[in-house]
Each structure stands twice: as structure tokens, then as C-alpha cells.
Amino acid sequence: MQALGARIVGGSLAPGTSIPIEEELVSELGVGRSAVREGVKVLAGKGLLETRRSAGTIVRPRASWNLLDADVLSWRFEPQPRPEDIRVLADLRVALEPGAARVAAERADAAAVRRIDEALAALYATADDPEPFIEADLAFHQAVFAAADNDLLLYIYDMISIALRSVRQVHTRSVEHNKETLPGHERVAQAIRRRHHRKAEEAMRGVVEVARADAARSADQHARLCC
Amino acid sequence: MQALGARIVGGSLAPGTSIPIEEELVSELGVGRSAVREGVKVLAGKGLLETRRSAGTIVRPRASWNLLDADVLSWRFEPQPRPEDIRVLADLRVALEPGAARVAAERADAAAVRRIDEALAALYATADDPEPFIEADLAFHQAVFAAADNDLLLYIYDMISIALRSVRQVHTRSVEHNKETLPGHERVAQAIRRRHHRKAEEAMRGVVEVARADAARSADQHARLCC
DNA sequence: GTTAAGACCTTCATCTGATGAAAAAGTAAC
DNA sequence: GTTACTTTTTCATCAGATGAAGGTCTTAAC
């Protein structure tokens, strides 16, 4: 399943083409027919494959893939995310997070606010330490999504955080840079605490717009350095 | 797969409990062991199940389900969505769509703008006809998401539209009501056409806030009528 | 009585072989 | 050239066997 999935999402098995027949996969991957069939069925369940009797198994068009499946996201971002994917991710955050912060300000109960404040404290506590800071950052944003009391929204953020973890190595975040982001996060937390949805949204927009600009810059540098 | 998935998402197989062993499912569902195993594997791929050797197969906690999987969403919203799920869906649109419209205004190319205008025309053309109007409405919002040039965002909307199709029967939309929503949609299209991201966002917020208020009202009425 | 090592049992994991069904491809008749 | 038939390919499903991993139970030593 992993082998096939990574090949499809990675692009070496293009949509529309048919994958080797069961028997060939058995010998190629060195497993039994049952294993092949179960793997193919799982990938079909994720929208990557479609099996047709007597016509083989073909790779479905990208439009029908479960793009927000944890495995599919990993195969897409894991080894080295493409610059285009980094843009997509940054844009998605800009589109989503301000609105999520707004709903969080509308729906947050006392416990949710407390968890956001704790996450904010962890952010301040780790500002000098790049690695833990990234985790604290992810935890802060997750706490905001959790405050919106909406499992679909929280699920989307969890998938985004999978991708963000893969992208973070591209970001060359300095300690100074981390500290600069603290006031923005503080404003988000404060607005949610005061149930001020407009301010929560604007504060979060500030945070993710900065992140998007950073990502664009990092992607540029990265492209210049390695190519 | 369908039978088990619907039972899990529907709640009659609670998280943490173990499902019947393979042999029992074989006789219960009237299929072979291979079919059972393939189905269980697919559900495991969607995060609903977890198999452990010698310990049976258990239902995973809700937090690890692929909530934005098309099948999982169908099982959740299909027969009759719960009022709580309608709220979740309406909140998700409020959180997501204004931001998506903003990014659409930033990224839309000429072809994307044209497709939005076509969808808008279809909206006007079907305003007197409730059923086609709903489809035109879904198509308009999809065109906006498509304009953002972001496959993850578009995927999220496609999943939302699956849920919206199930919810629409709850909405008792009148022809007058439909016509009242036209100016809002017009404003969204115009703002995107003019690449005015702030206005696109505000216009879309107006549209989805109205939809949220309608949904809340309909859910109330529905609850009163049937219980 | 307590404890720990060993046998045993349950259950999923995987392989293999066989049969069936559906669709495509080839073939022959007209 | 078209149509109807046959063959082949390939997935769908069932059934049986073996293996591995984890839990449970017995039993014997202390």
C-alpha cells in the first residue's frame, strides 16, 4: 500500500495509466495476492485507484483523490515538498485560519480559552529554542481550532499540521524571527478571550500572512540554493 | 465495508469496542473472509478501525477518523443529519468560505472569473425553480473555490457540498428566499472580478451568515415538527 | 500462598489454489 | 463492413492451510 501510494502521489504512476496486474505486483513486491488486493482496496478507498473487472486497475484523476487523507498528504509533502505545494499550503492557511479564529471567538468556552492561554505560555517559554517552538506554534493554532467546537474544522487543521511538519525544515526560522511572531499570537489569544470575533480574525490574518510571506521567501531561497 | 462503516459512524458500534471476529462477520454478512478482510482494511485506512493480532479489531476514537472522507461524510449526513451536525456544517462554511473568496480574488485568472460569471448566470436563470437552484448554488460556490487555484481548498469544498446535498431537504427554501440571496452572490462575483479581496471576503461572509441563520431556523422548526 | 515459566488458545496476517463473472479482444459468417 | 459468437484477460470471491503475536491458563518451584 505504501509503495504503490507513494508512487502514485509522487507522480511516477500517472493518472489514467493502469498499474501492473495483480500477478505482476505479487512478484514485483514479493507479497501474496491477498496483500496486494488489500492494499489496492485501501488505495481505492482513498480515491487513488479504481478497479475494473477484466480491464485492470487504473490510477484515478487527481481530482478524485482524498487530498486530506493523512497518508496522501504524507506522500505528497514528506520527502521534499515542491515549491508549488508550499504555496498551496500557505494560501490554505490564509483562507482558513482567520475564519477559524473568528468562529473560535464565537464558540470558545472557558476551558477552550484556558487551553489557548496555556499554549500561548508555551510559545513564550520556547521562543529561544527553534525545535520546541515549532511544536508550540502548532499546538497554539490547534488550540484555536479546537476552541471553535467543530470537529470538521479541527480535522482540517490536523491535516494541515501534518503538512506543516514536513515543510518546517524549509523554513530557516531564527530566534529573533520567532520572537517577532509573539505579539501577533498574543493578540489572537486576547481577542478570543474577549470573544471579539472581528479582532480575532484580523489578528490571525496578520499571523498567517506573515507566515505566507516567510514561506514564499524561504521557497525562493531554497530554489536558488539547490538548483 | 458500507455496512460496517455506516454502523460505526452511526454510533451503534462505539469507539473502543471491538467488532465481531472475522469468522462471525463472514456468517453475519454472508460473505467470504477475503471480502471481510478487504472491507476492514479499507475502514482501517479511513481511520475507523484498528486491527491487532490476537486482540481482535477495535473501533478507533472519533478523533482519528478521516472526517473529510467522502464515505465517512455520507455515513454521517446521509440518512438524516443531526441538528448538531447541521450547526457544525454551517459554522464550517462561515469559517472557510469568506477566506476562500478572499484568496480567490487574489488568485483568480480570466478563465476562473468567467466560470464564476457563468455560474452566477445559472443562479439567476434557476431562481424560480428550487431544485435546480440548489445545484446552481453549489456550482457557484465551487467556482469560487476553484478560482483560488488551490486543490486542497477545492477538495474541502467538494466534501462540504456532499454534506450540503444531504442537508438541503431540511431547508424549506422558497422562491422568494432564493431571490433574496442573489444580490449577495452578485457582490461576491463582482468583487472577485475586480480582484478586490476584502470586498469578496465581506460579500461571501454575508452570504454564508445568512445561510447559517437559515440553517439554525430550519433546524429549530424541524426539531419542533418531528419531535 | 505466591510467583514465574511454560503450554495452549485465540485471532489476525499471509499465502495458495480454485472457481466465477464481466468486459475486452479476436474471429468468423453474412 | 457489420454483426454475432467465442476466447481471453483480469478482477471478485471463496476456501483451506500455515504462521505469528499476544493473552490466558496451568503447573511446579519456592
Side-chain angles (χ1 to χ4, degrees):
Chain A
M1 198 263 281
Q2 293 285 334
L4 272 178
R7 261 198 271 176
I8 293 169
V9 177
S12 60
L13 281 172
T17 62
S18 59
I19 68 172
I21 66 171
E22 282 182 348
E23 197 185 334
E24 282 176 48
L25 288 175
V26 166
S27 52
E28 190 177 320
L29 301 172
V31 296
R33 235 196 312 283
S34 307
V36 168
R37 283 190 57 75
E38 285 170 13
V40 166
K41 268 278 155 62
V42 172
L43 293 180
K46 295 182 189 298
L48 267 49
L49 291 177
E50 182 181 358
T51 59
R52 288 195 200 140
R53 266 206 275 244
S54 81
T57 301
I58 62 172
V59 179
R60 297 187 68 188
R62 259 183 90 92
S64 49
W65 295 359
N66 290 19
L67 294 179
L68 282 187
D69 176 275
D71 291 323
V72 175
L73 270 182
S74 301
W75 293 324
R76 176 172 179 174
F77 283 90
E78 205 81 306
Q80 188 78 302
R82 292 166 32 224
E84 170 66 7
D85 289 336
I86 292 176
R87 178 197 64 88
V88 165
L89 186 61
D91 273 3
L92 177 59
R93 295 186 71 191
V94 169
L96 182 68
E97 298 214 31
R102 168 180 278 254
V103 174
E106 293 172 354
R107 303 279 183 202
D109 60 14
V113 169
R114 196 171 341 110
R115 278 190 290 271
I116 291 174
D117 285 338
E118 287 166 8
L120 184 67
L123 212 53
Y124 275 94
T126 59
D128 295 317
D129 218 341
E131 281 300 313
F133 183 81
I134 293 175
E135 284 305 317
D137 189 31
L138 292 172
F140 176 83
H141 288 267
Q142 207 216 17
V144 172
F145 275 79
D149 188 27
N150 189 312
D151 58 354
L152 293 177
L153 214 39
L154 185 57
Y155 174 79
I156 295 174
Y157 182 73
D158 284 340
M159 295 304 107
I160 289 178
S161 72
I162 289 178
L164 284 176
R165 258 178 258 267
S166 305
V167 170
R168 69 181 177 189
Q169 60 215 19
V170 179
H171 290 166
T172 53
R173 300 197 134 195
S174 66
V175 170
E176 287 76 39
H177 194 151
N178 289 348
K179 285 188 174 160
E180 284 170 15
T181 70
L182 290 175
H185 286 86
E186 176 84 58
R187 275 194 293 276
V188 171
Q190 191 172 69
I192 293 174
R193 202 182 305 129
R194 297 180 180 167
R195 308 296 195 281
H196 199 311
H197 52 248
R198 200 179 53 72
K199 280 197 179 155
E201 177 175 7
E202 278 176 18
M204 184 62 98
R205 169 156 309 115
V207 170
V208 291
E209 288 279 14
V210 167
R212 174 161 72 168
D214 287 351
R217 198 148 3 92
S218 300
D220 275 1
Q221 283 177 8
H222 204 261
R224 269 202 298 280
L225 282 175
C226 73
C227 307
Chain B
M1 197 265 280
Q2 293 285 333
L4 272 178
R7 262 200 270 176
I8 294 169
V9 177
S12 60
L13 280 172
T17 63
S18 58
I19 69 172
I21 65 171
E22 283 182 348
E23 198 185 334
E24 282 176 48
L25 288 175
V26 166
S27 51
E28 189 177 320
L29 301 173
V31 296
R33 238 196 301 284
S34 306
V36 168
R37 284 190 56 75
E38 285 170 14
V40 166
K41 269 279 156 63
V42 173
L43 293 179
K46 296 181 188 300
L48 266 49
L49 291 176
E50 182 181 358
T51 59
R52 288 192 200 142
R53 267 205 274 244
S54 82
T57 301
I58 63 172
V59 180
R60 297 187 68 187
R62 259 183 91 91
S64 49
W65 296 358
N66 290 20
L67 295 179
L68 281 188
D69 177 274
D71 291 322
V72 175
L73 269 181
S74 302
W75 293 324
R76 175 171 179 175
F77 283 90
E78 206 80 307
Q80 189 78 302
R82 292 165 34 222
E84 170 66 7
D85 289 337
I86 293 176
R87 178 197 63 87
V88 165
L89 187 61
D91 272 3
L92 178 58
R93 294 187 72 192
V94 169
L96 182 67
E97 297 213 30
R102 167 181 277 256
V103 174
E106 293 172 354
R107 302 279 183 203
D109 59 14
V113 169
R114 197 174 338 113
R115 278 190 291 272
I116 292 175
D117 286 338
E118 286 166 8
L120 184 67
L123 211 55
Y124 275 95
T126 60
D128 294 318
D129 217 342
E131 281 299 312
F133 183 80
I134 293 175
E135 284 305 318
D137 188 31
L138 292 172
F140 176 83
H141 288 267
Q142 207 216 17
V144 172
F145 275 80
D149 187 27
N150 190 311
D151 59 353
L152 293 177
L153 213 41
L154 185 57
Y155 174 79
I156 295 174
Y157 182 72
D158 285 339
M159 295 304 108
I160 288 179
S161 72
I162 289 178
L164 284 176
R165 258 178 258 267
S166 306
V167 170
R168 70 181 176 188
Q169 59 215 19
V170 179
H171 290 166
T172 54
R173 301 197 132 194
S174 66
V175 169
E176 287 74 40
H177 194 149
N178 288 349
K179 287 189 172 157
E180 283 170 17
T181 69
L182 290 175
H185 286 87
E186 176 84 57
R187 275 195 293 277
V188 171
Q190 192 172 70
I192 293 174
R193 201 181 307 129
R194 297 179 180 167
R195 309 295 196 281
H196 199 311
H197 53 248
R198 200 179 53 72
K199 279 197 179 156
E201 177 175 8
E202 278 177 17
M204 184 62 99
R205 169 157 308 116
V207 170
V208 292
E209 288 279 14
V210 167
R212 175 161 72 167
D214 287 350
R217 199 150 2 93
S218 302
D220 276 1
Q221 283 177 9
H222 203 261
R224 269 202 299 279
L225 283 174
C226 73
C227 308

